Amino acid sequence: MIKKIKYYKRSVYIFLIASICVSACNSGKKNTDFDNDNKLELSIAIPSGGNSWVINNTQQDAVLVQDSGIHDWTSFDDVIRTYFHTKSTGELHLGLTIKSEEGPATIRVTVGDITKDVTITNTEYQNIDIGIFNITTAGYNFIEIQGLKKTGRYIGDINEVLIGGTATTKGVSFVPNDFSFYFGRRGPSVHLNYTLPEGKDIIYFYNEITVPQEEDVIGSFFMANGFGEGYFGMQVNSDTERRILFSVWSPFVTDDPSTIPDDQKIILLGKGEGVTAGNFGGEGSGGQSYKVFDWKAGNTYKFLLKGEPSTNDSTDYTAFFYAPEENEWKLIASFKRPHTTTYLKRFHSFLENFNPHTGNISRKGTYANQWVYDTTGKWHEITNAKFTADNTARDNARLDYKGGVEGNAFFMKNCGFFNENTTINSEFSRNPNGIIPTIDLSVLPKVKSK
């Protein structure tokens, strides 16, 4: 699920978001210390398009937040936030590159417990000084912007957020113009790469996932059983739909499945009841299957993947899913991958957000009780993993990613602009359970031809 793109490094970034928190703004202190005759130090320009969210309405976020900035802003109810990360505290000088539509518009800007109401009269983009605010805690902070009055249909357009002052002198973080706004707004993806027993041919990989209450955020992919040629896990696709997803990449590398030669296409061998199967593209290409299933936060779900060499230089991969609500193993799908002769390898799990409109909300999953089964009929428990992350994290575009061990389970967490941070390439060890999965492999659902 991780698309490889080119990123550009920058040593510091900042995330900003405009927000409209009416109660917070009205209850905060008004900024009366700023004199318009004093010149602010505004040396850092943050593109609002890559760093802002409408936090109370994801549908509005899809309309207002564009690559070029904040546009089509009509409602006083919209809560727009811009998050930023500072390494120090102190004064924050703040300005906006902004314009109104037809005449004066009034906005309210809040940082911490200080608010300032500003009237915008220019109808072409100008740099407007907002004022001086206080950053009292290093790490992620946010700016809130609320529309109060407008003359035309739109409140205004915001191109950049301008900052400076002592709070920024030790470094700030944001998604710059030469970084992918799409991936910056999605947030960092994090992975667990499992340590396998040496010298064993592995035919089954078993894993369990529990998503804590309120961590099942739209756009989340809790991937359980990743392997060298594909992935298997569960997603939150919308308010009304969740899926169990199993995919296998074609050996022919392309983002367009229509270009795959016939002899390198993934072949569907069979699928379970209620499973949809087809092709996918855009992030590599191959065969994909999914079952719409309303899995619940707080419940533990079990994943079992089988992989073994087959005839004519190919390998068959089969995915099984166990839900406590149904109390039995279900077949998701079985795929044949040509030009591949291998047992299962490169086991991993990941947590990613595939919806940029929810990249401001944190999500977390626990990954527990990993086991593999070799060709001699022996189970081996996996208790060690390395924590890694994608380029959004590695290039410091987003700093809100974390992983580790809780009890006898691994966990991963990302997005939401929290301040705890785990060093990439950290190695973890969980306590072994010592309880072999109670699965009668001989009575698993049989693969029926499509």
Side-chain angles (χ1 to χ4, degrees):
M1 287 298 292
I2 302 172
K3 183 177 180 181
K4 297 181 179 179
I5 64 172
K6 186 175 182 180
Y7 288 89
Y8 298 86
K9 292 186 177 180
R10 177 170 172 173
S11 60
V12 292
Y13 301 86
I14 188 168
F15 296 90
L16 278 151
I17 303 174
S19 127
I20 310 158
C21 187
V22 176
S23 61
C25 293
N26 288 338
S27 63
K29 300 175 183 177
K30 288 291 186 69
N31 181 356
T32 57
D33 299 331
F34 174 63
D35 185 339
N36 286 326
D37 292 332
N38 294 332
K39 185 171 180 60
L40 298 180
E41 189 275 304
L42 301 173
S43 59
I44 302 172
I46 295 91
S48 57
N51 299 281
S52 301
W53 282 263
V54 180
I55 65 165
N56 62 331
N57 190 324
T58 55
Q59 292 181 338
Q60 279 292 88
D61 181 87
V63 174
L64 268 63
V65 183
Q66 304 171 28
D67 281 359
S68 56
I70 306 298
H71 304 293
D72 302 324
W73 182 20
T74 61
S75 175
F76 298 143
D77 293 330
D78 292 332
V79 179
I80 310 168
R81 271 191 189 169
T82 307
Y83 276 86
F84 59 99
H85 188 282
T86 69
K87 294 183 178 179
S88 59
T89 60
E91 285 189 351
L92 181 76
H93 294 196
L94 178 62
L96 296 173
T97 304
I98 189 173
K99 67 177 180 178
S100 63
E101 184 192 19
E102 296 177 359
T106 301
I107 62 173
R108 173 167 290 170
V109 180
T110 302
V111 179
D113 62 353
I114 297 178
T115 68
K116 184 175 178 63
D117 296 347
V118 180
T119 299
I120 308 300
T121 59
N122 50 289
T123 56
E124 300 292 334
Y125 278 118
Q126 290 184 17
N127 295 343
I128 302 299
D129 290 347
I130 302 299
I132 298 174
F133 301 81
N134 294 320
I135 298 297
T136 59
T137 303
Y140 276 114
N141 288 272
F142 58 81
I143 291 169
E144 298 182 347
I145 299 177
Q146 175 185 1
L148 298 179
K149 297 178 182 179
K150 61 181 179 179
T151 302
R153 180 184 176 190
Y154 299 107
I155 298 168
D157 288 355
I158 304 173
N159 187 27
E160 292 179 321
V161 179
L162 311 172
I163 63 169
T166 57
T168 69
T169 55
K170 292 184 179 180
V172 294
S173 296
F174 67 94
V175 181
N177 278 318
D178 58 1
F179 195 92
S180 165
F181 285 170
Y182 171 75
F183 281 92
R185 297 188 77 237
R186 276 184 25 163
S189 297
V190 287
H191 329 111
L192 292 170
N193 300 282
Y194 300 112
T195 302
L196 301 179
E198 295 183 359
K200 305 295 182 181
D201 289 330
I202 304 302
I203 192 171
Y204 285 99
F205 174 28
Y206 173 89
N207 202 355
E208 299 175 3
I209 289 183
T210 307
V211 178
Q213 296 289 341
E214 300 184 359
E215 299 288 351
D216 50 340
V217 179
I218 292 174
S220 299
F221 188 5
F222 302 93
M223 199 284 291
N225 291 25
F227 55 106
E229 295 75 37
Y231 46 85
F232 178 29
M234 59 190 194
Q235 300 177 322
V236 187
N237 301 87
S238 72
D239 283 327
T240 59
E241 183 176 311
R242 299 176 180 220
R243 296 180 179 181
I244 309 304
L245 183 76
F246 172 50
S247 298
V248 177
W249 280 298
S250 165
F252 185 82
V253 179
T254 178
D255 286 342
D256 182 0
S258 68
T259 65
I260 300 175
D262 287 344
D263 70 332
Q264 298 198 53
K265 291 181 178 179
I266 300 298
I267 300 169
L268 176 66
L269 300 176
K271 61 188 180 70
E273 183 179 354
V275 173
T276 300
N279 298 318
F280 75 94
E283 48 193 11
S285 295
Q288 184 179 85
S289 61
Y290 67 87
K291 179 181 177 66
V292 175
F293 181 78
D294 191 25
W295 59 267
K296 305 294 184 183
N299 288 350
T300 297
Y301 296 93
K302 302 175 183 181
F303 299 80
L304 181 68
L305 176 73
K306 181 181 182 182
E308 61 181 342
S310 186
T311 59
N312 300 321
D313 185 29
S314 67
T315 297
D316 295 345
Y317 299 94
T318 307
F320 304 92
F321 173 70
Y322 183 97
E325 297 92 338
E326 298 183 343
N327 197 31
E328 64 177 340
W329 285 99
K330 300 283 190 179
L331 171 68
I332 300 301
S334 184
F335 290 110
K336 181 181 293 291
R337 189 179 198 259
H339 301 289
T340 308
T341 303
T342 184
Y343 288 95
L344 296 175
K345 58 186 179 182
R346 300 207 304 272
F347 297 136
H348 60 281
S349 300
F350 65 68
L351 170 60
E352 75 171 18
N353 168 39
F354 55 85
N355 186 338
H357 308 299
T358 63
N360 61 312
I361 307 172
S362 68
R363 70 271 341 259
K364 178 183 179 181
T366 62
Y367 300 72
N369 206 30
Q370 295 81 20
W371 290 79
V372 294
Y373 182 89
D374 67 25
T375 52
T376 69
K378 183 177 180 180
W379 286 99
H380 306 268
E381 189 168 6
I382 298 175
T383 58
N384 296 290
K386 177 184 284 189
F387 176 79
T388 60
D390 68 353
N391 286 339
T392 303
R394 289 182 178 274
D395 288 349
N396 295 318
R398 294 283 292 264
L399 307 176
D400 44 350
Y401 54 88
K402 186 177 181 181
V405 175
E406 291 180 344
N408 61 349
F410 299 111
F411 79 89
M412 290 184 284
K413 179 179 179 180
N414 65 354
C415 302
F417 301 103
F418 54 85
N419 286 325
E420 303 90 355
N421 188 271
T422 299
T423 302
I424 294 173
N425 293 327
S426 294
E427 296 189 1
F428 307 132
S429 179
R430 68 170 180 85
N431 294 325
N433 295 316
I435 303 174
I436 294 174
T438 54
I439 306 172
D440 187 344
L441 301 176
S442 67
V443 298
L444 286 170
K446 303 303 180 184
V447 175
K448 298 179 181 179
S449 60
K450 59 179 180 177

